[in-house]
Structures are given as structure tokens and as C-alpha cells.
Amino acid sequence: MSDKLKIGISIGDVNGIGLEVIIKTLADARILDYCTPIVYGHTKVASFHRKALDMGEFSFNVINSPAEVQGKRANMINCWEEDVKIELGETTETGGKYAFLSLERATNDLIAGQIDALVTAPINKHNIQSESFHFPGHTEYLQERAGGQDSLMFLVSEDLRVGVVTGHVPVTEIASKISQESIISKLKLMNDSLKKDFWVRKPKIAVLGLNPHAGDNGLIGNEEQTTIIPAIEQAKASGLLVMGPYAADGFFANGAYKNFDAVLAMYHDQGLIPFKHIAFENGVNFTAGLNIVRTSPDHGTAYDIAGKNLASEISFREAMFAAMHIVKNRRESAELTENTLAFGKLSRDRD
């Protein structure tokens, strides 16, 4: 039995670039030296995309469950039987329906422990909405499925790690959703993830302000004085190494982020715009704070280039390696903790 990790992959919107970046990643057989990939979708849909990419030599090994994987092949589980109408570059109900069927089946296997991690290709957050999926995005869906009280949208790369207090919420609601409690919760999740998932011994975290110039001492908004600074002080009192609040523009422009292990932004675009600029194609979206491991590329469905063989697979490949890295770090951390506890018990017994 192979000891390689089983990495599940959901295909995302069938009309986007999800299957393109998946196939391009898995077509490089070197990935099979590190993991056993299992794609949740359908061979007919994959064949359509393969032909669009003119990759005639590539094929999947079809299985019914993760227990049947072949370690030297890219595997696929067919999640439906009917034919699917693919309209590359279009936003359709079909795209959302089959994105969800793929995600649901993969998540079921992830929670059941049949796969070690999940890498999700991009969905369209509008057309995937249904009675079964009523979430702003993957992060919130997986948090509920995994039974988590909270989670952190954590964008990671070699050069920068950024988390957000508020994720997929309208700009008009951001300020009302930021509280001392929410900031402290995200800081604790970030700190724990840096230690457990990335093996940062003593994480140093920067916190951004909400308002321009971090409020300018109350001249441009008072959330820094009433909410963010008290949260930082409370986090420091609990033992976290946290600094701020920093004005976002200058913080990224002058390279101050290089002095920290991670940055907590107040809202989605405040953190993701500089992250995507700095990380270029290497960024990965990681859902931190859950007992499962899920990563994704840091781009969307890219309908405008779907089917044109223009999509780069770099971010998706990085997401696969990040998932493997995090799973192994967690297991080694758990083993180290178990050994430490066992040694402590042995010492006490001898005393």
C-alpha cells in the first residue's frame, strides 16, 4: 500500500478554467511522485476539456472510491451519469449544478477520512447557489460541513501570508461585522495555523487598520480606537506577538510586510489585492482553522480565457503542494505532541 497522500480535487465550474489547470497540472507525471490525485467529476466532461487543450495522450484512471486508487495514475471518480452541456466561458445553471456535485462528493470523502486533503478548482459564487449550497463561497461551506465554529481565509505564498477578518461580504457591511471578538478570533486562528500548519515557532503578525491612514488618530473614522487597537492589546495580553494597526497602502508599498510572518487585513480586497499583486501566480488560498485541509488556487473561473489553452496551472499546482505540506506538518506536529506527552507521563511514573 502506497504511503503517498490522497489529494481530492473538485473540478469547479465546468465552463471555466478549472479542468484546464487540473489537467495541465496532472499531465506532468512528476506530481505522482508526491501524491495520488483523485478528481471528482466525470470522464466525459474531462474529455471535452482535454480535446479543447489538444492533450490527446492524457487520460484518467476511473475508480468508484478512493480505496481503488492507482498510485501511478491520475484518478477520477464519476459523480453523475448524465451528459452535461458545456458552454465554455458562459455562466449557466449547469455550471453551478455540477460544480456543487463535484464539491459535495469530494467533501463527503474528505470528512470521512477517505482522502487526506481537498484542492478546489474555482466556482462561480452566483450560479452555484441552491437549496443545497447557500454560502458566499467555499470557505463558509467547508466550515459548516467540518463543524467549525470559525475559520480563516488565509492566502499564502513564499513571500507573503494574508488573512482577512471579513471575507465574502458587501463593502457596506464590513464595518458592522468587525468587532474585537472577531479580530481576536482570527488572530488566534492565524497564530495557531502558523505554528501547526507552517511550523513558525513564534509567529509575528501585523494587523491593518480599517480606514485610510489607519484612521489618522480618529480623524478618518474611529474603528481603530474603539475596536482594532483594543483587540490588538487583548491579543498581546494573551501571549500573541501582534503589532499595528498599520495603514494598508504604505504597509505594502514600503515592504513592511516582509518583517512579519503574516498579515491580518480587515476585509477581502484590502488583503487580496496586494497579495495577488505580490504573489503573482504562486498564491494559494487555504482555509485555516478547520480539522480538514483545503486549498485552492487564488484565481477565479476566468471565463474570458476558458477553452483557449491560455490558463496557467502554476497556482493550482502550488495549491496541491501546499495541501500536502500542511497535512504532513499537522501529522508531524501531532506526533511530536503525542511523544512529548508520553515522555512526560513516563517521567512522572518514574518519579
Side-chain angles (χ1 to χ4, degrees):
M1 178 65 71
S2 172
D3 59 355
K4 291 189 297 184
L5 297 178
K6 294 177 181 177
I7 305 298
I9 299 170
S10 61
I11 63 172
D13 193 311
V14 298
N15 295 320
I17 64 169
L19 270 162
E20 177 174 340
V21 297
I22 290 169
I23 291 172
K24 284 180 175 178
T25 299
L26 302 185
D28 186 340
R30 290 176 296 181
I31 195 77
L32 302 177
D33 294 335
Y34 301 96
C35 71
T36 300
I38 306 171
V39 179
Y40 291 77
H42 199 282
T43 49
K44 288 185 178 180
V45 175
S47 179
F48 182 98
H49 283 265
R50 176 181 57 79
K51 290 176 181 176
L53 298 173
D54 194 23
M55 299 181 67
E57 299 299 317
F58 180 82
S59 64
F60 286 97
N61 174 53
V62 181
I63 58 176
N64 295 310
S65 75
E68 301 175 0
V69 293
Q70 187 177 125
K72 295 182 180 180
R73 293 281 303 279
N75 301 272
M76 175 166 280
I77 293 177
N78 287 331
C79 299
W80 56 83
E81 295 300 326
E82 66 273 16
D83 291 335
V84 176
K85 183 180 181 182
I86 300 175
E87 300 175 82
L88 291 175
E90 299 296 326
T91 303
T92 67
E93 290 185 11
T94 297
K97 174 183 177 181
Y98 292 98
F100 174 70
L101 290 178
S102 168
L103 175 63
E104 181 182 43
R105 179 74 177 272
T107 303
N108 289 344
D109 285 352
L110 178 65
I111 292 172
Q114 295 188 55
I115 56 178
D116 298 296
L118 172 62
V119 182
T120 59
I123 59 174
N124 179 310
K125 296 176 179 62
H126 175 72
N127 68 19
I128 197 173
Q129 298 299 320
S130 67
E131 291 184 2
S132 300
F133 190 99
H134 45 82
F135 305 89
H138 280 115
T139 302
E140 296 81 3
Y141 171 76
L142 290 163
Q143 178 182 319
E144 180 171 291
R145 288 297 311 276
Q149 296 299 310
D150 196 5
S151 64
L152 175 72
M153 184 188 295
F154 207 7
L155 282 295
V156 299
S157 72
E158 289 187 6
D159 302 314
L160 176 63
R161 302 185 188 99
V162 175
V164 293
V165 177
T166 60
H168 300 120
V169 301
V171 173
T172 53
E173 299 177 14
I174 290 172
S176 65
K177 292 185 179 295
I178 293 175
S179 64
Q180 290 186 44
E181 292 75 19
S182 64
I183 294 172
I184 292 169
S185 176
K186 301 300 184 184
L187 284 171
K188 288 181 177 178
L189 289 174
M190 180 177 283
N191 189 72
D192 290 345
S193 179
L194 288 168
K195 288 183 174 180
K196 179 174 66 174
D197 301 326
F198 300 95
W199 280 35
V200 179
R201 185 167 171 269
K202 184 64 176 177
K204 184 179 179 183
I205 300 172
V207 179
L208 303 181
L210 172 64
N211 298 294
H213 307 295
D216 233 351
N217 295 315
L219 183 64
I220 315 173
N222 63 1
E223 284 83 2
E224 283 74 17
Q225 277 70 33
T226 61
T227 305
I228 300 174
I229 292 174
I232 291 172
E233 294 304 319
Q234 189 173 335
K236 287 181 179 178
S238 68
L240 274 62
L241 184 56
V242 181
M243 300 181 184
Y246 296 98
D249 54 353
F251 180 83
F252 288 108
N254 64 24
Y257 65 88
K258 297 176 183 177
N259 300 320
F260 296 88
D261 297 300
V263 181
L264 184 66
M266 290 298 111
Y267 58 95
H268 185 280
D269 284 12
Q270 184 188 52
L272 269 65
I273 289 175
F275 177 85
K276 291 187 177 185
H277 176 71
I278 293 167
F280 298 106
E281 295 180 319
N282 298 310
V284 173
N285 183 1
F286 166 49
T287 305
L290 301 180
N291 59 3
I292 57 174
V293 174
R294 172 261 172 169
T295 63
S296 73
D298 71 344
H299 57 71
T301 54
Y303 289 132
D304 57 320
I305 60 171
K308 299 179 181 178
N309 202 7
L310 297 175
S312 169
E313 74 276 18
I314 294 175
S315 182
F316 191 87
R317 183 173 62 239
E318 289 296 322
M320 289 193 67
F321 279 110
M324 293 179 241
H325 183 71
I326 292 165
V327 170
K328 290 179 179 179
N329 280 353
R330 285 190 178 188
R331 291 181 179 177
E332 290 182 20
S333 293
E335 184 178 345
L336 182 62
T337 300
E338 184 178 332
N339 290 340
T340 300
L341 292 174
F343 180 78
K345 182 179 184 301
L346 180 62
S347 298
R348 290 192 298 273
D349 290 345
R350 287 177 176 174
D351 293 340

